[in-house]
Amino acid sequence: MPRSHLFGPEHEEFRGTVRRFIENEVRPHVDDWEAAGQFPPELFRRFGGLDLLGLKYPEPYGGTDAGVIYEAVLFEELARCGSGGVAAGIGAHVAIATPPIHDFGTDAQRKRWLAPAIKGEKIVALGVTEPSGGSDIAHVETSARREGDVYVINGSKMFITNGVNADLVVVLARTKPEGGHHGLSLLVVERDTPGYSVGRKLDKLGWRASDTAELVFQDCRVPVENRLGEEHNGFRLAVGNFQWERLWIAIGAVASAQRSLELAIEYAANRVQFGKTLSSMQVIRHEIADMALLIEQARQLTYYALWLHSKQLPCTKEVSMAKIAATEADVRVADRALQIHGGYGYMMEYPIQRAWRDARLGPIGAGTNEIMREVIAKELDL
Ligand SMILES: Cc1cc2nc3c(=O)[nH]c(=O)nc-3n(C[C@H](O)[C@H](O)[C@H](O)COP(=O)(O)OP(=O)(O)OC[C@H]3O[C@@H](n4cnc5c(N)ncnc54)[C@H](O)[C@@H]3O)c2cc1C
């Protein structure tokens, strides 16, 4: 039975291809990559070589124009690879960093940056959050002062996924000191630009195989032609991809929760206490039933939001609801699954501990769940 009317046989065939690739070429390595604190940057080329980095982009730039439902399948399968960090690094490249280049770049900018990003030859990051705050992005402080044909960027960006290895960073910077959210622009900064540096690689609770960095800009001069879209309109442009960013997190969270459920079921079926398996004990059976219920509620809401988005229908409220439901289900299910593992759940050799650590990012990233609730309240005209 198809898991949803959203996925036809062609999507399921694609899912099979992605699943085999991930099972054979990603999953066997994730323990090493988690221990190393990053996956090899060459992995982008492997994904690019399989046409997985341009699923929603036009063919002239190397994309397959397959659409967002295919990309949603990619997110689901990535989330099952056993490392939230790998899913985060590849996911950030396709879900948040390259969309502004495609959506607001000129033909020349797309050829220069999007085409190699789709091949996995260039790694892209998105730099919005700053040390002073990530929720209130209208008050971005990193400045980009215009001097003739260049912008001079000063400031720093915090918690940037792919920040260490990025060849390009799409930066939200203040081009007009006054004007709040009307004074921001999106600028592409390339790796070797003088004045741009990786301040430090950040150590994290979870998502450990993804590289996360603080980026520093000190009199970093970028040409005006590196601006995406209109000057001072960067806030609106950045917001333009928020729904897809949140859906990416929601879709991944549902798939991660599903994997935690499967780990719990497998463990409960094999662990014997008091002469019987855990899965024969009613309290455990009901716990697992509740976990499955939580996941299904989140999945259906997420698929509904995805369907609205894929049809370009208004979906701000539904996407925020899906992001909350999915990420909170993931945290809860991972926690209950760890509990079912007993002491073994607390051991690093069991995969559930990583699922538990990775899940905790969901309610924080891509707009916190408090901000999601605020978005929903506004949509309800409160
Ligand atoms: C591993 C990781 C990867 C990330 N990757 C990226 C990336 O690639 N690019 C990028 O730009 N950013 C990235 N981020 C940043 C992420 O988007 C921010 O951490 C997030 O938006 C929250 O911002 P903050 O951490 O500054 O928290 P703050 O904004 O300081 O918020 C702190 C707390 O206060 C709450 N709060 C704030 N304002 C309100 C309000 N009005 N009402 C109620 N509660 C409120 C928040 O919900 C939160 O609980 C990443 C973060 C992490 C941890």
Side-chain angles (χ1 to χ4, degrees), residues 284-351:
I284 302 278
R285 296 170 69 78
H286 288 193
E287 179 76 274
I288 289 176
D290 281 343
M291 289 155 68
L293 171 61
L294 209 52
I295 295 170
E296 202 53 42
Q297 289 169 336
R299 179 183 288 126
Q300 293 309 326
L301 185 49
T302 300
Y303 282 169
Y304 176 52
L306 171 61
W307 176 78
L308 289 173
H309 182 80
S310 72
K311 298 291 176 200
Q312 293 168 353
L313 293 166
C315 60
T316 304
K317 183 179 73 188
E318 291 77 6
V319 167
S320 293
M321 287 178 168
K323 199 257 172 184
I324 295 172
T327 57
E328 293 182 2
D330 194 18
V331 169
R332 168 96 186 149
V333 169
D335 189 65
R336 300 322 297 161
L338 189 148
Q339 184 72 14
I340 287 170
H341 281 68
Y344 291 105
Y346 205 66
M347 297 298 120
M348 297 307 271
E349 64 202 79
Y350 277 74

Side-chain angles (χ1 to χ4, degrees), residues 92 96 126-136 158-161 204 207 212 245 361 364-371 374:
I96 63 172
L126 177 71
V128 173
T129 305
E130 303 193 340
S132 60
S135 297
D136 186 8
M158 188 54 119
F159 309 137
I160 305 307
T161 304
K204 309 188 291 296
W207 281 23
T212 309
E245 174 174 5
L361 190 276
I364 299 170
T368 67
N369 285 7
E370 290 75 23
I371 296 299
E374 200 49 39

Side-chain angles (χ1 to χ4, degrees), residues 16-31:
T17 308
V18 178
R19 186 168 290 190
R20 275 190 299 281
F21 166 63
I22 287 179
E23 270 174 13
N24 295 333
E25 300 195 36
V26 178
R27 195 195 284 258
H29 306 290
V30 296
D31 288 350

